[in-house]
Amino acid sequence: MQIPTVAELYAKGEKPELLYWVGCAASFDQRAQRTARALATIFTRAGIRFAILAQEESCTGDPARRAGNEFLFQMMALKNIQTLNQYGIQTIVTSCPHCFNTLKNEYPALGGQYEVWHHTQYLYRLVREGRISLKPATAEALQSVTYHDSCYLGRGNGIYDAPRDILQALQMKIVEMAHHRSRGMCCGAGGAQMWKEEEKGQTRVNIARTQEALATGSRTIAAACPFCNTMLYDGLKHAGKEEEVQVKDIAELVAEHLASDPTVGG
Amino acid sequence: MLIAQIVFIALLVIAITLFSRQVRKIRRNILLGRDEQISGNRWKRWKNVLLLAFGQKKMFRNWIPAILHLFVYLGFIIINLEILEIILDGILGTHRLFLPYIKPVYPAFISAFEVLAVLVILACSIFLIRRNILHVRRFENPEMTCWPRRDANNILIFEIILMLLFLTMNASDQALQMKHYGHYYPTGSFLITHPIAQHLQQISPGLLVGLERGSWWLHIAGVLFFLNYLPYSKHFHILLAFPNTYYASLEPKSQMPLMADIVPEVRSMMGLEADDSQSAPASPPVHFGARDVFDLSWRHLLAAYSCTECGRCTAACPANQTGKKLSPRKIMMDTRDRLEEIGRNIDMHGSFVDDGKSLLNYISEEELRACTTCQACVEECPVSISPLAIILELRRYLVMEASSTPQEWNAMFTSIENNGAPWTFPPDERGQWASRLA
């Protein structure tokens, strides 16, 4: 499987059906790379002509903006918009809720208008339209799972159902945490917290949140954001549970359950 | 009778004059904020007013206080009809002015008010118990001492007293009717006070008249006093909840507003041509982000006056839950306190004289740094206040103007600027995950 870059297609006079906006986390973080590979596998299986920007992609500016650096945000935004517009990109799928929010909600004010999907929305569409088919339920799939709502998907953009619908399509039993959907608790990474120590407190946000997840008794914690993924994994390590319980992105779970039938979806 | 009317009218005029003077001050304070145009979507805005302010929709995220609050809210709205009669009686020197016009339904109306009065007393008593005996956690934060605590108790006790006076007035009135005394014409029996009135029969008519008139005067004087207490209290939310839900942001909660002022500068810095769609700012911003209340939008200041310190935001805040200093409610209280301070400064000097302070004397960097921008506070607020919006504006000031940034964030900024990623990975390694796919 070879993932083309937008530039390569452009050189051949072609345009991708969709741009996969990878984001910094999935580009560089080893755990989040698994999500990117899972998505690439799924897109390929569904026969979607997608491409990435590779080195032409830059940070959307989200962490700089939330920390207060609007100058840097606008610089990044204008640069990215220039790249996207130059290639005539129309449809973007991203696996990062922070990139999703910025591309979808914040770039239009600076001249960047795209149809932006979070990968959970897009994957659910593929499932619904039968463009990917899933393996019949295995014992593993029938296990219970708990889903951690990302703030930037849930409260930020009202995306609560798509990730849950996918888990249901995987025939997994969802056990909700004490705080879920619009009351979901943050993983602690948003607002540029990912790049600094937390302020003084009794405990860390990710540790408190992981306790809630562990209280469900589920062996799998499903996430839909690379930062939530990292924070929850760190929480599991802190609780000494990283062997028993796993954190996985929804895309990874889908990729694991793809039917091997090569004819499906072309 | 005439003297009573003159006293009443004088009382009414004084109360309304004082109230409107105070309201004008609050309006002036709110307009100290940055100008911001609210564009379009009137239908959506009215829908928010109907659902959130009139309909109490968000209150029902939390059932028990929602029902109790509903009693007090309905009591407040409906009892104002009764207040109308009381005021007209006071001005005209009449007694139960509306009775002859709506005689068949009059007792039903008053009975409904009485039932609501009892529910208000019940609700306020439970609220007092929750705050002072059960110590519900969200009323126990460090910002909830002294005045905020006393203010809440004052309001609850005051509402109970007003309702008790209303019931006493009706009970003694009913007792006098049973005795066919003076001008106390029969009205038909009121649901709550009629049974009580039967027990009051042995009291002398003179004393009953004293009781009836006494509670009538105390009730209306109490209402007028309460009216003038509002602008000094968090209870002002009963008025401002309505405009606040109208003017609240309609954008997705995770969307930060663009600082349009600096776009031309950034574009020219990057060697981009001027974009005609981004018209040049009329005047450069006084500050990058917000240092003081003047730099916030008038909408944020309206929100500060609309906050009733219920603390649902703080209870949902992940930073607060894990013991950090940040409390979104305190952000709103501090904004209002600073604004009030500036208001007093203007009252004293005619215009604002620099006092060497800013909103950052009230809100510490530690609080601002603890926010994860998770929007739980915005989600929870029953009247659509966004403490997050204020936090983000203050952060902008800290980073862009005060250059007060944690070292780790500076490193992150540098990395984004140089590598296009918040971590120090070179851009040409961005696609490597894909090449390792096969």
Side-chain angles (χ1 to χ4, degrees):
Chain A
M1 176 171 55
Q2 191 65 41
I3 301 173
T5 65
V6 178
E8 285 163 6
L9 293 184
Y10 190 75
K12 289 191 278 182
E14 291 171 23
K15 228 168 76 174
E17 180 184 340
L18 72 82
L19 168 73
Y20 171 35
W21 182 277
V22 186
C24 303
S27 296
F28 298 118
D29 178 80
Q30 289 194 356
R31 296 184 53 78
Q33 282 177 350
R34 295 211 292 254
T35 304
R37 293 197 194 103
L39 271 180
T41 308
I42 300 165
F43 290 157
T44 307
R45 194 71 67 82
I48 294 160
R49 291 187 333 106
F50 73 105
I52 58 173
L53 282 168
Q55 68 259 38
E56 286 188 276
E57 185 188 291
S58 270
C59 172
T60 58
D62 162 83
R65 188 173 222 201
R66 264 73 199 165
N69 196 338
E70 177 80 3
F71 275 101
L72 183 52
F73 163 75
Q74 289 190 10
M75 281 169 58
M76 302 314 289
L78 289 169
K79 181 169 172 256
N80 283 321
I81 290 167
Q82 216 178 6
T83 309
L84 292 166
N85 289 355
Q86 172 201 324
Y87 289 125
I89 296 295
Q90 278 146 356
T91 311
I92 301 175
V93 174
T94 178
S95 49
C96 173
H98 295 265
C99 295
F100 171 75
N101 174 66
T102 307
L103 292 165
K104 181 175 194 285
N105 299 324
E106 299 182 352
Y107 276 17
L110 287 162
Q113 304 271 359
Y114 319 102
E115 182 192 326
V116 187
W117 298 71
H118 182 255
H119 71 291
T120 53
Q121 293 177 301
Y122 199 78
L123 289 181
Y124 184 60
R125 189 179 123 177
L126 294 181
V127 171
R128 212 180 44 218
E129 291 176 355
R131 294 174 71 184
I132 49 174
S133 57
L134 303 167
K135 273 189 236 174
T138 57
E140 186 207 359
L142 291 167
Q143 276 180 4
S144 75
V145 62
T146 188
Y147 171 67
H148 166 81
D149 284 284
S150 145
C151 306
Y152 276 71
L153 279 190
R155 279 187 293 269
N157 290 285
I159 302 171
Y160 300 110
D161 291 329
R164 288 179 170 81
D165 289 341
I166 293 174
L167 293 174
Q168 243 143 29
L170 295 171
Q171 298 183 308
M172 295 180 128
K173 181 169 163 269
I174 303 169
V175 185
E176 297 287 4
M177 289 184 237
H179 295 95
H180 59 277
R181 297 184 73 98
S182 67
R183 291 178 207 257
M185 188 192 184
C186 182
C187 70
Q193 299 293 342
M194 186 73 191
W195 290 275
K196 71 167 186 54
E197 264 306 308
E198 280 190 27
E199 309 308 303
K200 271 205 317 287
Q202 287 144 10
T203 184
R204 287 166 194 266
V205 176
N206 66 324
I207 290 173
R209 184 53 166 169
T210 309
Q211 291 304 329
E212 284 196 357
L214 288 171
T216 63
S218 302
R219 298 278 296 275
T220 306
I221 305 171
C225 167
F227 301 111
C228 298
N229 201 314
T230 302
M231 295 307 264
L232 292 168
Y233 181 71
D234 288 349
L236 284 179
K237 274 206 296 199
H238 182 265
K241 298 275 187 192
E242 77 272 27
E243 302 286 323
E244 299 160 49
V245 181
Q246 51 181 357
V247 189
K248 281 196 173 159
D249 192 280
I250 297 268
E252 287 180 81
L253 292 171
V254 171
E256 286 168 14
H257 292 86
L258 280 181
S260 49
D261 179 0
T263 61
V264 170
Chain B
M1 209 57 193
L2 194 63
I3 291 175
Q5 281 170 262
I6 291 168
V7 171
F8 181 87
I9 292 168
L11 203 64
L12 196 65
V13 169
I14 291 168
I16 291 172
T17 310
L18 289 176
F19 176 72
S20 46
R21 210 177 70 178
Q22 218 46 43
V23 168
R24 276 200 304 273
K25 267 188 195 171
I26 288 175
R27 187 185 137 82
R28 175 204 66 194
N29 290 355
I30 289 171
L31 293 178
L32 291 173
R34 221 171 15 84
D35 192 23
E36 187 183 351
Q37 296 301 319
I38 303 293
S39 56
N41 280 314
R42 287 172 65 179
W43 162 237
K44 253 190 181 168
R45 294 184 180 282
W46 277 112
K47 198 175 135 197
N48 277 346
V49 175
L50 287 174
L51 284 177
L52 301 176
F54 280 104
Q56 313 259 301
K57 185 180 163 211
K58 280 273 183 79
M59 287 298 289
F60 281 87
R61 286 174 72 80
N62 214 341
W63 273 91
I64 296 170
I67 289 171
L68 297 173
H69 184 268
L70 189 68
F71 292 160
V72 181
Y73 165 72
L74 289 177
F76 170 76
I77 290 196
I78 295 177
I79 276 166
N80 275 314
L81 295 171
E82 170 66 8
I83 300 279
L84 186 69
E85 186 183 48
I86 290 178
I87 287 175
L88 290 174
D89 277 344
I91 294 171
L92 304 170
T94 50
H95 183 71
R96 297 204 181 270
L97 177 73
F98 295 164
L99 177 63
Y101 305 102
I102 52 167
K103 191 146 191 177
V105 286
Y106 192 83
F109 267 123
I110 301 291
S111 297
F113 300 157
E114 287 191 351
V115 169
L116 275 167
V118 171
L119 290 175
V120 169
I121 292 169
L122 184 79
C124 290
S125 306
I126 297 173
F127 282 149
L128 279 172
I129 292 169
R130 283 165 59 90
R131 278 176 184 267
N132 300 290
I133 298 171
L134 298 178
H135 296 291
V136 169
R137 198 164 164 261
R138 67 184 152 102
F139 302 125
E140 300 289 305
N141 294 70
E143 70 267 22
M144 296 309 287
T145 52
C146 310
W147 171 246
R149 182 179 289 267
R150 207 160 56 232
D151 187 21
N153 284 332
N154 285 350
I155 295 159
L156 293 169
I157 292 166
F158 218 89
E159 290 188 16
I160 292 174
I161 292 174
L162 286 181
M163 292 303 111
L164 285 174
L165 285 169
F166 173 68
L167 293 174
T168 312
M169 172 181 96
N170 279 355
S172 43
D173 191 328
Q174 294 259 289
L176 287 162
Q177 290 174 31
M178 289 175 204
K179 289 179 188 288
H180 304 289
Y181 185 85
H183 63 274
Y184 291 95
Y185 312 115
T187 56
S189 65
F190 304 155
L191 196 65
I192 306 286
T193 52
H194 189 260
I196 299 170
Q198 284 166 337
H199 296 284
L200 300 179
Q201 286 304 305
Q202 57 268 50
I203 300 176
S204 72
L207 206 58
L208 278 176
V209 172
L211 205 57
E212 194 276 332
R213 284 291 88 189
S215 43
W216 188 93
W217 277 99
L218 279 174
H219 179 251
I220 191 65
V223 167
L224 294 176
F225 175 83
F226 201 47
L227 179 74
N228 276 285
Y229 180 80
L230 290 186
Y232 299 94
S233 154
K234 69 178 193 120
H235 208 51
F236 207 49
H237 84 279
I238 61 171
L239 299 177
L240 292 190
F242 297 90
N244 197 66
T245 47
Y246 182 84
Y247 290 119
S249 167
L250 298 174
E251 309 299 340
K253 292 184 190 70
S254 52
Q255 182 181 330
M256 268 178 84
L258 182 76
M259 273 180 73
D261 294 341
I262 63 167
V263 177
E265 197 181 332
V266 177
R267 288 188 75 91
S268 78
M269 217 158 64
M270 295 176 66
L272 295 169
E273 288 160 36
D275 179 357
D276 292 337
S277 67
Q278 295 285 343
S279 55
S283 57
V286 183
H287 289 293
F288 295 119
R291 177 182 173 273
D292 209 341
V293 288
F294 304 105
D295 311 313
L296 293 170
S297 158
W298 62 268
R299 289 194 306 148
H300 301 145
L301 305 184
L302 172 68
Y305 276 109
S306 310
C307 172
T308 198
E309 301 164 12
C310 73
R312 287 161 188 238
C313 50
T314 294
C317 173
N320 194 277
Q321 281 172 12
T322 52
K324 276 85 179 173
K325 275 209 178 123
L326 173 63
S327 164
R329 166 175 53 196
K330 180 174 171 291
I331 301 289
M332 302 316 298
M333 293 167 74
D334 287 341
T335 304
R336 175 174 168 155
D337 286 349
R338 172 62 182 155
L339 195 51
E340 290 273 282
E341 182 178 59
I342 286 169
R344 286 192 298 275
N345 182 314
I346 294 173
D347 289 340
M348 199 190 297
H349 302 103
S351 64
F352 179 66
V353 174
D354 189 7
D355 57 1
K357 290 209 237 168
S358 76
L359 187 51
L360 290 160
N361 290 88
Y362 286 77
I363 304 171
S364 68
E365 290 189 27
E366 185 179 346
E367 292 163 73
L368 296 169
R369 296 282 186 243
C371 175
T372 68
T373 70
C374 79
Q375 315 136 48
C377 54
V378 193
E379 180 77 41
E380 291 305 322
C381 181
V383 296
S384 296
I385 293 170
S386 174
L388 174 60
I390 296 178
I391 293 172
L392 290 171
E393 288 302 325
L394 290 164
R395 275 192 179 181
R396 279 176 169 170
Y397 172 78
L398 287 181
V399 166
M400 289 193 284
E401 203 168 316
S403 296
S404 169
T405 317
Q407 193 41 49
E408 303 140 291
W409 275 1
N410 271 331
M412 180 258 289
F413 295 155
T414 309
S415 191
I416 290 179
E417 207 168 338
N418 295 338
N419 306 308
W423 296 288
T424 52
F425 291 103
D428 54 5
E429 284 179 18
R430 245 185 206 271
Q432 276 189 6
W433 65 273
S435 60
R436 287 200 296 267
L437 248 177

